[in-house]
Amino acid sequence: MSATLVLSLTFIDYQFKVVLRGSLQNDELAGFMGSFYGFAGLLALAVQVFAAGKLLTRFGVMTAILVFPAALFMGSVAMMFMPVLALAVAVKGSDKVLGDTINSSVNQLVMLPIPAEWRNRAKGFLDGVVRNGAKGIAGISLIALSPLLSIEQFSIVVAILLVGCIVAAVKVKGAYLKTLLSTLKTRGSGDMDDAELDFMDPASIDLLTETLKSTDKQQVIYSLRTLCGMESFDLMPSVAALLRHPAEEVVVETLIQMERRKFPRMEEELLAFLPATAGAIKAQALITLAATADERFLDFLSDNLEDDGREIKAGAIAGLIKYYGIEGMFRAVGTLKELLESRDEEDRMAMAALFGQIGIKLFYKPLIPLLKDGSPLVRKFALQSAARLQVPELASYAVALLRNSDTRPHALEALASYDEALIIPLLEPYFAEAAEAPLHLPKVYERIGTQGALDKLLAHYSASGFEMKGMLLEAMTRMKSGHAQADKAKVTELIVKEAELYERFSEKMARLGENAAYEQVLEAASQLRSTIVRRIFQLLELIYEAGTIQAVYSSWSEGDARQQANAMEVMDQLLQGQVRIELARIMTARGAEPGVHSKGSAQSSEINDSFSWLLEQGDEWLADVIRHTLGTGLPEERAELAERMERVRVLAKYPLFRELTGRGLSAVAASLRTVRVERGDVIFRVNDPGDSLYLLQSGTVGIYRNDEKIDERKQGDSFGQTAILVNRPRTATVIAEENGVLWRLDSADFYDTLFDKTDIAMAMMKMLSRRLRTVLAHHHDPAANEPEEAAEPPEGAELAAAAKENLSETTADAASEAQDAQGLLLRRVLVLQKIGLFAHLSQEDIVQLARIVEEVAYEAGETVVRMDEYGDALFGIIEGNVRVHRGGDTVAILGEGDCFGEMAVIDSGPRSASCTAVVPTVLLQLHREQVFSLCAQNMDVLKCLMRVLSDRLKGLL
């Protein structure tokens, strides 16, 4: 459409100038041109001020988009028969009067449904490629055609082009509606500006209005919010049906919109509706009734303060305080105080949610004690209210709650909901005091997701500690996958500094030599040095293609000599300047220097200097190891540290933790609880809930089933390893056979540690995944890597049904579009539910995954993955077939619904087979980073992945 319009305007401009030169000369021509552009400008101003808005509001975007090409078409047809100056002026004037006003506005508004991160790219492509390319083609065409065609014949060409433009505009209308509907289902209406919504096409409004009749609550709520964002939309005709909707959420949302819009005679509808309501619906109905601020209802609302239901009380309090001023506050304050000070958790939860409903920013102070409440549920609702109020004074309390895994997701949502210009200055001081900055603070910036937020994180990198640098990089790499881009010069500078730090570590470690007394220090320092290398590669991901850098790192750090050599060759070709030199030194040193060797005995002063420098690096684990090695500190501190080191040493012997670093083991060890038992004590019985692991420090325990001893455990053994990963009933009874000491690790504490320390979580999943690969390979199972197939989870039918609920009947045209969009979601859900890795995810989590995965198409014979390549994605087959083969030997033929590459999401390991499309095939593709991002936000997802891996290794741990 844009291209044909540009071509047409270029030819029209040529016609205008030719006719003008034939009619006017010299001074007349100059005077006419001045008058033409002057009057055209005045007319354009008048159209923009008096006509454009009304046209768009009344007829919508997709009707207005036809006005300009239709006017040009009619003028061009007239020019075929009468190529006179008056017509040429009228056609050219249409460009100025309509093109620069109505058409320009439409071009902006038609981008509305496109996600923000793609909108600028789309505009840039249209302006920079399509339109400029069309101008170039038009110029060449003029050179070729002007000697051959008359003015009348040029009008024929223009008319043909404009017909094409109008046809394209009609197609744009269909795409616009489809994209708009898809946008509503995936993002809601939050990304759309209210001002823009007033210009929505009537067909779009009809589509959304019909959606209000759907039984699907998500579609109805999205449509309701979008429509109510338009001042011209009248909700009242739909209110009665919406208040009878079977979904409570829809009824509550309808009442909220009624509260905001305050319809005439709204109280009549509410008074008829209230007697049949209860719970959350009645609470919101009371608030909506209070929105009328009618003194007649003051006593009625006050009476509800005595209701037995806390939700009803909360609704009455909110309505009185929000809409009845001092009088309402006076009546509600007694009940409010009573509930705030209640020992009943649910009372305080209701009050925590109340402040968000009231929505008065100045009325925030009573929320502070609730943000510090001992109940995680109370704090959760208080955070939701803080997100609605967005009061600067509450931000510090939300930041503090980032430290707790129970409240972290809600604290992130609350902080990210603030306006960027307000929240970032409030968060910046935390980075200045490293000890005060919660490790998960960068995730707030990640949620904000703007270029400014990424620039701030990058600026904090140099001054941050080891752990914080890791969190900063995780956040920045995920932000980079959107539209934010890191400054290449700044990143390059940071890479060089990290390389220098790597060299300093190597130098200090070399001075410590091979002294056995310093073995733990060298091991801890070596782990940090490896972390530095990983950070260098993560920094490279910010300025180069992330998949390439990840593949290089995997090949270099985990591959054989050939793969390492290939990885170094890629880096040598990709990088330039100082970064290339530094990374070549590091990558080469790894292969030639498996350990740290001293070239001679270091002086005592050099050793002391090395210890001092290592302590200054600010890593807590390394500092603990050094203090333990040197025996520094007070006697009580030394004793406490010695016990912690012993726990780390013992944990390292157990298979479940064997591949964790000392730092990871230290974090797990902090959660161990000492349990003393005497002979005959029952530690747990068969069928008791299994939620803890026991490590036997001294004594002996017997394992019994059906009153018969089947095994025993002694010092250094463990029992209950599976229970820590998968909560299931105990399969035996364990009894102490002599006095002893146990260390118990509870599942809840273990998962809290994993959720706090994502590197430990990833290491645990990698370990389980690799052990699964090894076991399966040992058993010659072709599913060891590709393909990964799993039994259909028991909730598959429910998930399918849940997805199908999204399919609804609207208008005839819209129904087809809705089915296309929801059918896309449905088929993704149906494939994802078959992937064993996600077998225990909730319906909501499966649908969330379905919204973020990609669909990729392959032609027959095209390779999807190659054997021995390192992978970072799993695939599910939506349509077609895939051949799994090793060389010429076929391992399997996979069809619709089958999956492969599942373990690659966990450990990025090498593919054990190649996969090739047999026929044209459509695949669902889910990247490792998408899964890990979901794990970092949702502990249930993390538990699910660990549970699946543990189930597969059941009996092998």
Side-chain angles (χ1 to χ4, degrees), residues 795-811:
E795 297 182 356
E798 294 180 15
L799 285 166
K804 287 178 180 177
E805 287 178 4
N806 287 322
L807 296 170
S808 64
E809 293 292 335
T810 54
T811 60

Side-chain angles (χ1 to χ4, degrees), residues 512 517-526 611 614 622 625-626 629:
L512 298 180
Y518 304 148
E519 181 179 351
Q520 275 190 296
V521 176
L522 287 170
E523 181 183 354
S526 180
F611 281 131
L614 291 171
L622 179 59
V625 172
I626 293 174
T629 300

Side-chain angles (χ1 to χ4, degrees), residues 351-361 363-368 370-372 378-399 401 410-419 422-423 426:
M351 291 302 97
L354 174 71
F355 292 95
Q357 291 177 306
I358 295 174
I360 300 175
K361 291 181 180 290
F363 192 52
Y364 72 88
K365 288 188 177 179
L367 192 60
I368 293 175
L370 297 173
L371 287 167
K372 298 189 290 185
V378 174
R379 298 197 299 270
K380 167 189 170 182
F381 283 103
L383 284 166
Q384 290 175 353
S385 289
R388 293 183 181 181
L389 294 177
Q390 298 184 21
V391 176
E393 289 81 359
L394 297 177
S396 61
Y397 298 96
V399 170
L401 293 176
H410 312 292
L412 286 172
E413 290 293 339
L415 291 167
S417 69
Y418 281 66
D419 183 77
L422 174 63
I423 193 60
L426 294 175

Side-chain angles (χ1 to χ4, degrees), residues 180 182-192 222-223 225-226:
L180 174 63
S182 175
T183 299
L184 289 174
K185 289 165 185 169
T186 56
R187 294 188 288 141
S189 59
D191 292 341
M192 301 184 185
Y222 284 168
S223 298
R225 289 174 179 171
T226 304

Side-chain angles (χ1 to χ4, degrees), residues 625-642:
V625 172
I626 293 174
R627 283 194 291 267
H628 177 65
T629 300
L630 300 180
T632 58
L634 298 173
E636 313 87 70
E637 294 174 339
R638 292 201 301 271
E640 182 183 341
L641 192 54

